[in-house]
Structure formats: C-alpha cells, structure tokens
Amino acid sequence: MSTATQERHKSIAVDVGGVMVGGGAPIVVQSMTNTDSADVEGTARQVAALARAGSELVRITVDRDEAAAAVPHIKERLAKMGVSVPIIGDFHYIGHQLLADHPGCAEALDKYRINPGNVGFKNKRDPQFTQIVEMALKHGKPVRIGVNWGSLDQELLTRLMDQNAKSSSPRGAREVMHEAMVQSALLSAARAEDIGLPKNRMILSAKVSAVQDLIAVYTELARRSDYALHLGLTEAGMGSKGIVASSAAMGVLLQQGIGDTIRVSLTPEPNGDRTLEVQVAQELLQTMGLRTFVPLVAACPGCGRTTSTTFQELASDIQGFIRNSMPGWKKQYPGVETLTVAVMGCIVNGPGESKHADIGISLPGTGEQPTAPVFIDGKKAATLRGPTLTADFKQMVTDYIERRFGHAGRSAEGGRVLHLDDVAPVQ
C-alpha cells in the first residue's frame, strides 16, 4: 500500500456473494458483459472470460423476460465451468416485474442494481422501487443504488433548479446537477432503509462521464455518507481516451481514499476483447500501490541508443507470457504477483534498473557488445546472447518463480520464502 494514499473513506462492509465490498476490504474490480443475456452459452462464456481475467464481480443486463429466465441457467453453466464469480443483475424500468415473475432469477443473482432515475415514473416510482427492495429482502440480496446523469431523476433536478433560482446566491447549473446526483443516491438509500434494507446491504454509485464532475460528486457523496461506494466513469469512451479519462478520474478519488469497488467502462473495438477493462482496472490499482494482481514488468521507452526492436519485442513477449501464465501461477505459486521483472534496452540505465527488479535483463543498445547480462536479486547471474535469448530469459524467469514461490522455496516449518542466496546460483 502506498504511504501517500490517504486513509480510506470509512464505509460499511457489504457481502456480495462472498466478496466483501467496503469496510476496509481490498478494492474490488468488477466488469459487465455486453452479450444478450438471453443467450445462456454466450453470456456464460463472457462471464467466465471476465472472471478469469480477474473480474471479482460481473454485472449482466436483465431487461426482459427471456433474459430473466436465462439467469439461473447462466449460473448453472458457470458452475459446470468451475466459475463462481458473483453475478449482478442490472435492472431498468421493469426490474420489479421481472424479479416478481422470475423467482429463479431473483434467487440466482448475487446483487441487484437499481437506477432511481428510471425505476419508475411519477406515482409509480416509489411502489416499484419498494418492490425491488422487498425482493432483495426476501432473497437476502444486497442492492446497488446506481445514479447516472444520463437518466437522472428529472423531478428532483427540476425542484433543485427552481430552489436555486430563488436563492439569494444561486450556484451554477453544473453544481446543482452535482447536488441532484448526490441527493438522488442518498434519498433513495434512505428510502431503502425505511423499507427495511440495512446499510450493510447497500452500495451507492453516482456515475457521470466527465472527469471533474465525477471527482466533485463522489467527494461530496463520501463526505455525506458511510455507504460502500462503487466508482466508474460512465461512457468513458474507446481506447486510450477511455483509459486515460477513467484513470484520471478514479485515480484522484482513490488517492483520496474514496472507492470500494471500481469498473473501467471502456467501449470495446469491434469484436474487441471485453477483458481489457478488467486489465486496466487492475493496472490502475496496482500502479497506485493499492492492490497487487500480476508481476510488474518495467521496460524503458527506447531512444536513439535502442534502434533495434529487440527489447520492445522481448518486453511485449515477457508481459504476455506473464499475464497468460498467471491463472496457473496464482494457484501453484502463492505470492508470485509481487514479482518484479525489468527488460531494459541499453547500458545507461539497464543494469541499474535490472538490479532493482527481482529479475532483470539489460539488452545491448546500438553499438554495444551483443550480450545481455541478467541480474537476479540485485546480482549478476548470467549473460545471454544469440537467437535463443528470449527463450532463455523466459526459462530463467520460470526457474526463479519456482525457487522463490514454489514448494521447494519454502521451509517445512514456517513456509518461509527463500531468496537466491539460500539456493544454488543460476549458472
């Protein structure tokens, strides 16, 4: 944990299908499918892919009878695949009806997501909101009250705008919108409590699509409540824009100790990999020192001293090798996610950076001798060269992991992790 990170927002812990959210628990990564939930096989496959990528909660759309009827079968299919990730049902407009008509769906889901802006309109809003909360009580499920500025309660917003217009010192329209977001979440949560849902069964979110708006809304929401909070920049966008915007907004809030679970809402490329949003969320938390998911690979950006593409290719190869190996490594080598690897491109910083990593390689830059020293635990362990260099370094990484994190690297008494000084050196 980074010492620069402020104390976490004091939130009440919520159990979501066995995953703890809030109350000081590690910040949870979640994601959402984009399949038709009525497609049992397709949805189960995508949920499984997201879970295997590291998503600890997965949300699916439940928008009609066919989708609601499919939910128990999706859970069954996942169980057969050996996937036990909690599933969240995303409800809009007719969630009360779907939960009532499909009790199997209501029971199979691990959490319900309600949007107070479209749970019902006018005189139907409170009865339909009440029905969903009562279903959550009946089935023992937590609820996320998820406000979104694209579907904000217009009656509440209009009332606050009117009050602001009559004020002796009116605020800007954007500030009023921020207040409407916060009030929508808090008033809905208070209403759920009145119905009987305790705070330890509620998570709040208030999603907007602009960085400064998200920071302002969540800062105020955290100041005025102790509910567990879900962070996410909605409609963040595609590619680098979505990654940068989400990281900028959530990074500020996380540094302030705000946020108990996060989602990076990326628009995927056509036929793109949905799991990218999970990877970005993990990398954000790990880069900030809040959690550790996979070994870190440090690699230099390259310059005029590194005109060869060798080190870029090796860095990319090692990064992919580690990420693809992690599902098996996590089971076989507890603690492997703390490993640090360096792949450097020339003599200027290469040896130094490699010594700081657990295992690092310094490749030759332009005009340097065609050799690559490898450093393990700060000491030079080998020199690699030739066409098998990549395969040789991968093998050294694998051997190091086995020695340090495998059973051979642990004492029978206390499970102590041995370092290379305790075992035979690499030749």
Side-chain angles (χ1 to χ4, degrees), residues 179-201:
E179 178 63 19
M181 294 284 293
V182 173
Q183 283 201 27
S184 179
L186 294 179
L187 289 171
S188 298
R191 176 58 186 143
E193 282 193 71
D194 289 342
I195 298 166
L197 194 68
K199 279 189 171 182
N200 67 356
R201 296 260 292 280

Side-chain angles (χ1 to χ4, degrees), residues 407-421:
H407 294 296
R410 302 171 186 279
S411 67
E413 294 80 18
R416 180 174 68 90
V417 175
L418 300 182
H419 294 283
L420 287 194
D421 289 341

